[in-house]
Amino acid sequence: MSDGMDAFMPPHRANQSSSSTTSSSTATATMTSGSEDLDPVVARSREVLEMATVGDLLRVTAEAADGSGRDRADEDETRDALRWFVVKRVGMSTGGRQLVEGELEGKKAQILDQGGANQARIGISGALLDERTPLTRLKNVRDADKFKRAIKSYERRVERESDALTLVSSVDKALTLNGLEQAVKKNPRFWTEGDGAHSRRVIKDPTESATKMTGELLALKHGHRDVVLMQIVCDWTDALEDSVRAPFAAATLEDMLTQDASISMRLSEARYQVGEDKDGNPEFSNGITAVIYRETAKETANVLVSMGVQATRNIAGAFQQALVGVALGYTDENIAHHIRRLHNEDKLTDEDIFALIITARDEKEALNAK
């Protein structure tokens, strides 16, 4: 919902006009200082890394270090990829180069300035979450054993991923966690009402998409919604914007569950048949989603868990979709848009759809009244 973001001039958009000016001036200064062979983009990236502070979200354009230009899915198309790096520590390497440590899309990572005319490089050191994460020991994580199994699956998936996109083409500061939180507090609609026809754009703002998950968590933290879904792990390709891999998401979740006893988490599991093997045996895809909720919405959360709801996969059935939308606090118009889009061939009338939504709201109210 872009009007929610536009209403307060989010930090990443405020930075866009200034960053281009800074880039130009930096390049000029670099070229006139005697480093005539230094690429202006490398100079700009170096400046951003030198000025990075803890809590910054860096927007990194990366290419394959081996020259293949292929992304993690090993697609045939050669291109750069936009990646998201959260700064957690700033220091120097043993060789005296700028070293920024943090997280990159669910992985522990670092960006190292290689000096001279060389592009900076990303180093990956493993999964961001593991069995030792404090999240597995919190009392308000209701399915602790299930969560530990999910984290193990998450670790294995990270270990299996080949990550060749580690050569930094460019880097800019997108926003800060504090800036995002202030935006949510000022105007939470973008993170609470769901997507509708009016919020669909041909080109989505990448920073909005990348921080959507954390924005929803912050909306829950500040009392603007009661339930949030977050994908922990799955066998299908999941969107960063609805995943624990999203920038700031894991740390924000841990902070909320540690600091606020009224917020709890359960795990929702689902299994889908996706085909058959060569012998005709069924093949399945599995997913585990965190249902984060306020205790006042406990019964609603339990229903979502019983349904096997997943953050990055639509549940089947128009009424079930209405119930999920209502449980997540979305507007009737946006829920109807979602159902209409998924059931385009079922010829559901607007009256049919809104009747389902009304029934879902009645069911939710009855659950929360228990």
Side-chain angles (χ1 to χ4, degrees):
M1 187 172 299
S2 60
D3 57 344
M5 292 291 279
D6 293 337
F8 55 79
M9 188 59 171
H12 71 277
R13 289 187 177 170
N15 287 343
Q16 284 176 352
S17 59
S18 61
S19 66
S20 60
T21 304
T22 305
S23 178
S24 176
S25 61
T26 302
T28 302
T30 304
M31 296 296 285
T32 57
S33 65
S35 302
E36 296 182 358
D37 295 331
L38 184 59
D39 187 326
V41 177
V42 173
R44 168 62 182 162
S45 298
R46 184 164 295 155
E47 180 193 37
V48 172
L49 293 176
E50 289 174 350
M51 297 181 66
T53 59
V54 174
D56 286 351
L57 175 61
L58 302 182
R59 181 176 45 232
V60 181
T61 303
E63 58 186 281
D66 61 2
S68 70
R70 297 192 173 197
D71 64 14
R72 285 177 298 175
D74 205 26
E75 295 175 352
D76 292 331
E77 185 179 359
T78 300
R79 64 178 186 270
D80 289 345
L82 187 61
R83 312 197 70 178
W84 302 96
F85 188 97
V86 175
V87 178
K88 293 188 173 180
R89 183 176 177 274
V90 179
M92 304 294 286
S93 70
T94 53
R97 303 293 184 188
Q98 187 74 13
L99 178 66
V100 179
E101 298 178 86
E103 65 177 81
L104 178 82
E105 300 161 5
K107 303 173 183 180
K108 297 175 184 176
Q110 59 186 24
I111 301 178
L112 175 64
D113 177 10
Q114 299 193 100
N118 299 309
Q119 294 169 256
R121 285 202 180 222
I122 299 169
I124 306 294
S125 57
L128 180 64
L129 299 177
D130 56 33
E131 294 180 76
R132 296 166 294 178
T133 177
L135 282 169
T136 61
R137 300 188 295 274
L138 296 176
K139 292 182 179 179
N140 43 353
V141 176
R142 304 301 186 195
D143 305 305
D145 290 340
K146 190 183 296 184
F147 185 58
K148 289 177 182 178
R149 293 197 300 272
I151 293 300
K152 286 182 180 179
S153 297
Y154 163 89
E155 280 189 272
R156 288 195 295 269
R157 178 170 176 177
V158 169
E159 289 170 359
R160 289 196 303 267
E161 290 176 351
S162 59
D163 208 326
L165 293 172
T166 57
L167 193 61
V168 176
S169 301
S170 65
V171 57
D172 286 287
K173 179 178 174 179
L175 48 67
T176 65
L177 178 58
N178 181 62
L180 177 62
E181 185 161 10
Q182 294 306 313
V184 173
K185 290 166 68 175
K186 185 174 182 179
N187 189 347
R189 291 178 57 200
F190 179 77
W191 299 277
T192 60
E193 295 187 352
D195 287 334
H198 59 287
S199 63
R200 292 284 176 180
R201 287 171 288 169
V202 176
I203 300 176
K204 285 190 174 183
D205 183 281
T207 307
E208 289 179 8
S209 296
T211 57
K212 173 178 173 286
M213 181 75 261
T214 300
E216 291 186 359
L217 289 172
L218 292 170
L220 174 61
K221 174 182 176 180
H222 292 290
H224 298 298
R225 59 187 299 171
D226 296 323
V227 182
V228 170
L229 301 179
M230 173 193 284
Q231 196 76 46
I232 301 298
V233 68
C234 59
D235 293 331
W236 55 87
T237 301
D238 56 337
L240 182 69
E241 63 189 70
D242 295 306
S243 168
V244 71
R245 291 179 174 230
F248 306 117
T252 300
L253 176 62
E254 182 179 329
D255 176 69
M256 290 168 57
L257 291 172
T258 302
Q259 301 297 326
D260 191 341
S262 72
I263 297 177
S264 299
M265 185 178 87
R266 291 204 60 194
L267 275 294
S268 176
E269 293 184 282
R271 195 179 196 212
Y272 306 91
Q273 184 172 346
V274 294
E276 296 180 346
D277 63 19
K278 61 181 180 180
D279 298 320
N281 299 313
E283 294 184 321
F284 297 92
S285 286
N286 301 289
I288 301 178
T289 283
V291 181
I292 306 110
Y293 60 95
R294 290 201 170 275
E295 282 297 316
T296 52
K298 178 180 178 180
E299 295 303 326
T300 299
N302 289 341
V303 168
L304 294 177
V305 171
S306 70
M307 294 167 65
V309 169
Q310 298 298 296
T312 59
R313 186 159 181 158
N314 291 313
I315 196 166
F319 175 70
Q320 287 78 5
Q321 290 155 7
L323 188 57
V324 171
V326 167
L328 296 177
Y330 298 157
T331 65
D332 289 358
E333 292 76 13
N334 288 347
I335 297 170
H337 170 77
H338 182 70
I339 295 173
R340 198 177 294 116
R341 182 170 57 86
L342 293 177
H343 296 272
N344 188 44
E345 298 179 358
D346 294 345
K347 301 188 184 305
L348 289 173
T349 66
D350 286 347
E351 290 76 12
D352 293 334
I353 293 173
F354 280 101
L356 293 174
I357 295 172
I358 291 171
T359 303
R361 290 202 179 281
D362 290 342
E363 185 166 324
K364 178 188 174 185
E365 290 176 7
L367 285 169
N368 290 338
K370 289 183 178 180

